[in-house]
């Protein structure tokens, strides 16, 4: 009996977990041929995690990704919230076991950052900033974490802090184009427009290349005169574009 139990724990549980994870992220059951609905997917995730093996990390990452994908999907709000709640609970459990692994902190932070978009200064954004700040503590040189933290800070309207993080990211790798653009955008949010435009010019970027992001930054910083300036310029350049006229209205 002891040998059978050992075989189950060592060999079979990981296989069962893997099988249920595959079903959780699949659109169709390969055995029955029937579609796998979102409620089915949720139950398969729960079943996979119940086996509690070394595959927990991968299962939890996939669960978070599924929850992120449901943020703007046309699904029942209660079901979306169930995925969010389970993803939060399970990723926090993963972090308990690996508290200094920035990867899992980033997953949790990104989950809340996505759900916090458009909801300034709420609890979702607070958690996103908290987790991504913690992740950066353990991986202080990773620009991708800095970029995600900047996004979360902008969601929270913590523009000055976003600027400071963006400045560090830029100084770490000033030749990286994405770092240049993000620093410029964060500078605008922090109302350092001259610095932003000078940076873009010095690094060979035009305002037109990141016009959409600049519009959001000008609007977020309350600089509506700059928003109107860009919209009016676009209307003059494309007078027959009805969408531009609607934006200006």
């Amino acid at each position: 009996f002891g040998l059978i139990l050992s075989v189950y724990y060592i060999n079979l549980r990981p296989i069962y977990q893997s099988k249920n994870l595959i079903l959780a992220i699949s659109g169709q059951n390969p055995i029955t041929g029937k579609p796998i609905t979102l409620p089915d997917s949720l139950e398969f995730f729960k079943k996979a995690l119940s086996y509690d093996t070394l595959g927990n990390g991968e299962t939890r990452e996939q669960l978070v990704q599924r929850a992120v994908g449901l943020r703007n999907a046309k699904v029942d709000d209660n079901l979306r919230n169930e995925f969010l709640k389970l993803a939060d609970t399970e990723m926090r459990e993963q972090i308990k076991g690996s508290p200094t692994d920035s990867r899992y902190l980033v997953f949790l932070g990104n989950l809340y950052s996505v759900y916090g978009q458009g909801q300034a200064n709420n609890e979702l954004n607070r958690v996103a900033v908290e987790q991504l700040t913690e992740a950066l503590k353990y991986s202080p040189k990773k620009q991708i974490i800095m970029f995600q933290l900047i996004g979360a800070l902008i969601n929270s309207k913590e523009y000055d802090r976003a600027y400071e993080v963006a400045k560090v990211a830029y100084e770490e790798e000033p030749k990286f184009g994405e770092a240049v653009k993000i620093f410029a955008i964060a500078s605008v949010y922090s109302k350092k427009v001259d610095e932003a435009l000078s940076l873009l010019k010095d690094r060979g970027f035009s305002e037109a290349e990141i016009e959409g992001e600049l519009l959001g930054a000008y609007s977020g910083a309350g600089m509506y005169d700059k928003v109107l300036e860009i919209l009016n310029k676009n209307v003059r350049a494309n007078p027959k574009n009805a969408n531009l006229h609607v934006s200006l209205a």
Side-chain angles (χ1 to χ4, degrees):
F1 176 77
L3 179 59
I4 294 174
L5 191 61
S6 296
V7 169
Y8 169 74
Y9 273 94
I10 295 173
N11 297 318
L12 297 183
R13 286 167 64 249
I15 292 173
Y16 291 151
Q17 183 174 59
S18 178
K19 174 184 175 182
N20 279 275
L21 174 57
I22 290 171
L23 290 170
I25 62 178
S26 299
Q28 185 179 50
N29 191 314
I31 299 174
T32 66
K34 295 180 179 179
I36 294 176
T37 65
L38 280 175
D40 291 337
S41 174
L42 184 64
E43 292 307 312
F44 282 128
F45 272 117
K46 291 178 180 178
K47 184 67 174 177
L49 289 163
S50 72
Y51 290 107
D52 192 23
T53 75
L54 293 175
N56 284 347
E58 171 65 18
T59 303
R60 286 162 175 158
E61 288 181 14
Q62 291 291 340
L63 172 59
V64 169
Q65 290 178 12
R66 174 56 61 87
V68 166
L70 294 177
R71 171 62 174 87
N72 296 313
K74 293 181 179 179
V75 300
D76 178 74
D77 286 340
N78 290 330
L79 182 59
R80 181 189 293 107
N81 289 333
E82 281 191 62
F83 269 95
L84 174 60
K85 183 178 179 180
L86 182 63
D88 171 72
T89 299
E90 290 297 332
M91 192 49 73
R92 286 184 186 276
E93 192 65 28
Q94 186 70 32
I95 291 170
K96 282 182 183 179
S98 307
T100 62
D101 191 327
S102 60
R103 177 180 178 85
Y104 300 123
L105 291 162
V106 167
F107 265 95
L108 185 58
N110 185 55
L111 172 68
Y112 275 91
S113 185
V114 168
Y115 274 81
Q117 288 175 6
Q119 303 184 52
N121 298 318
N122 68 1
E123 180 66 10
L124 297 174
N125 285 313
R126 186 195 67 76
V127 174
V129 169
E130 175 187 83
Q131 297 301 319
L132 291 168
T133 299
E134 190 75 0
L136 191 59
K137 182 172 76 174
Y138 296 115
S139 298
K141 300 293 184 180
K142 282 196 174 181
Q143 277 190 324
I144 186 63
I145 299 178
M146 294 184 201
F147 294 159
Q148 289 174 306
L149 176 56
I150 292 163
L153 289 167
I154 288 174
N155 284 345
S156 296
K157 295 190 176 182
E158 296 182 56
Y159 299 143
D160 289 341
R161 187 178 167 199
Y163 167 82
E164 293 300 331
V165 177
K167 184 177 181 180
V168 172
Y170 167 71
E171 291 174 345
E172 282 289 329
E173 192 60 54
K175 293 182 180 180
F176 183 34
E178 194 66 18
V180 174
K181 289 187 282 187
I182 289 175
F183 184 29
I185 292 164
S187 297
V188 170
Y189 271 107
S190 193
K191 297 187 177 181
K192 298 176 176 64
V193 177
D194 290 341
E195 181 177 351
L197 299 184
S198 176
L199 174 67
L200 288 172
K201 183 178 179 180
D202 290 345
R203 304 303 299 173
F205 291 97
S206 68
E207 291 181 62
E209 289 181 73
I210 57 170
E211 189 174 84
E213 292 90 338
L214 285 175
L215 275 172
Y218 284 134
S219 179
M223 303 173 71
Y224 302 113
D225 56 327
K226 298 292 292 184
V227 173
L228 289 173
E229 180 183 319
I230 292 175
L231 292 177
N232 278 318
K233 179 193 70 175
N234 289 340
V235 167
R236 288 194 297 272
N238 301 278
K240 296 182 179 181
N241 189 320
N243 290 329
L244 291 175
H245 287 276
V246 171
S247 297
L248 190 57

